[in-house]
Amino acid sequence: MTTDQVLIGVGLTLVLAVGSQILASRLRIPALIVLLPVGFAAGALVDDVNPERLLGPAFSPLVSLAVAVILYDAGLGLDLARLKGHTRRVVVRLLWIGVPITWGLAALLAAPVLGMSQRAAIMIGAILVVSGPTVVGPLLSFVRPKDRLQHILVWEGSLIDPVGGILGALVFHAVSASTKHNFGSGAAEFLASMGIGVAGGVVGAALLWALFRVLRLGEVLGTTVQLAAVIGMAALCDVLRDDTGLTAAVIMGLAVANLRGIDVPARRPFFETLVSLILALLFISISATVTPQSLEHVGLPALGLAAVLVLAVRPLVAAVSTLRTDLTPGERGFIGWMAPRGIVAAATASTFSASLVAQGIGGASKILPATFVVIVATVTLYGLTASPVARRLGVVRPSRSRPVLVGGAPWVVDLGLALSSAGLEVLMWAGHEQERERIRQAGMELAPGELLAAVTGKGAELEGITAVFFLTAEDDFNALAAEILRGSVKGVVHHLGTSPESRGVVAPFIGGGVLFGADLTWPALSRKYDDGAAVLTQPADGALPPGCDLLFLVRPDGRLDPVTEASAPQPEPGDMVVLLAPGGVPRETLK
């Protein structure tokens, strides 16, 4: 290719990737639904976007390293503390029982349905076992299922990708060796690959632990160190054994997210942006390698295979995996209706199909287009039906606001209790152990871990956080933390106003998002509380009692409207008002 062709190919691929994401965000649909057909159309119309022409033999290893970065990011969002009890049992079964069932049935069906040889069918069966966080995560964010369901499906998607990648590599070598290859030896090879991947992940995690403990890296350098470590270790593992880098990447992400002593920045805007861009580029590039001619005799049979995977195989896997657990019938049904195929299936098919075609294996040319059709079909079907199915099964998380109250003073705890009594799911966080114990004793839910990790990124996504309110006695902390989080949280971020006598370094100079107005500062609220004031709720069916300060309105649909320095929402019939009532006001007047 000429220089001009390369420039056109690279530029057009990038523009299409980002443009598809913008369009998907405007349409409120998963980006993959747009990325795949756009990439397919671009590959059919413009030869310059074909990555096999642009990158040549470098395409496959670059795809493998890019997927490793994606899986490392997915591992960072996995909290081992939440993988317990029946949740852990279901996730383990989905992996160790679900993968063989899906592989066997998909291979059994692929041979007659797609008209391919037994070896090609075994290959595509191994490819189609994977799901993936890159597809499941956006779908779950849109559907908002209950917490336990979300955790199960995110864990499954994050762990099944490296398992499926290694399985695909082993099956590829097995079917390539000869028709007389002993598939029974695959178990030993699988364990060897897992061992290399786990060992690489442990070494990489130890390296990151040492770097962050000794060098105290900041946000920018810490992010680049993580990126270099995961790519370097994944490349080394892949050199030793194909696709073991995927396992190493997930292990490293899990370790960094869960080991104490690794001071990794909770906010990773560059890393998150990079992962989002990598995903879009991969889907555009891989789908551009699928030609219209390759779909001519594959489209309808592949749709039939996808239908069987969705309507029979996945429900069977879900039924076996949730047997004798405390999951409700609705939760079991939703697990049976959530298994979209994603980037690892596309990458594995793209990597191995060409080599199998060159070896003359019957039907190998159908592996990539059939995988493409299954990905498009499953993502589109689940993307359009997951939300109504979840509502029908009764597994949707309530649409009510879920605020985080940062602080553990007695009046803050009482405010959390008042909001809970109004029907909201309140999450609290405090830095001092005495305040955390006060929150626990009140029966309120305490956000685990470090604050920024709890309220930003995947932590906030999994918990459904809609607002953050900083209510501590430290004006500088409140103002600075609110300024840092604003734009990183899907919802409002407010902090208490600065008291006139404050000698803060930051707080007096940061405006915006002041909660309750300038007069209700932390010292003023504490004095009122010490004088007998109480945080109470009552229906908004008349004028507010004299001397009461309006703090929040809880709307009938569960939306929480705070009183701020910039705006004071007006109570309407059906609202619940959250008040700070002075000690001298009789309780009868508050009903």
Side-chain angles (χ1 to χ4, degrees), residues 407-408 413 428 430 435-444 446:
V413 176
M428 299 192 69
E435 294 181 336
R436 296 176 70 85
E437 184 60 29
R438 183 182 295 127
I439 293 170
R440 293 190 192 98
Q441 291 180 357
M444 298 297 297
L446 185 64

Side-chain angles (χ1 to χ4, degrees), residues 2-27:
T2 65
T3 301
D4 289 345
Q5 288 176 317
V6 172
L7 290 174
I8 292 173
V10 172
L12 185 57
T13 301
L14 183 61
V15 169
L16 290 175
V18 176
S20 297
Q21 289 181 315
I22 294 174
L23 178 60
S25 68
R26 301 299 298 174
L27 296 176

Side-chain angles (χ1 to χ4, degrees), residues 31-116:
L32 189 54
I33 295 178
V34 179
L35 287 166
L36 288 175
V38 167
F40 173 73
L45 297 174
V46 183
D47 291 338
D48 295 341
V49 300
N50 190 318
E52 294 172 346
R53 287 168 52 85
L54 280 173
L55 302 174
F59 177 57
S60 290
L62 286 176
V63 168
S64 180
L65 295 179
V67 174
V69 173
I70 294 168
L71 293 182
Y72 173 77
D73 182 66
L76 291 175
L78 300 178
D79 184 1
L80 287 173
R82 298 189 179 277
L83 188 64
K84 56 187 178 182
H86 289 268
T87 298
R88 179 176 57 203
R89 184 183 304 176
V90 172
V91 171
V92 171
R93 288 177 178 178
L94 286 170
L95 293 176
W96 299 113
I97 299 177
V99 167
I101 291 176
T102 305
W103 178 23
L105 293 179
L108 189 65
L109 291 166
V113 171
L114 295 175
M116 56 176 50

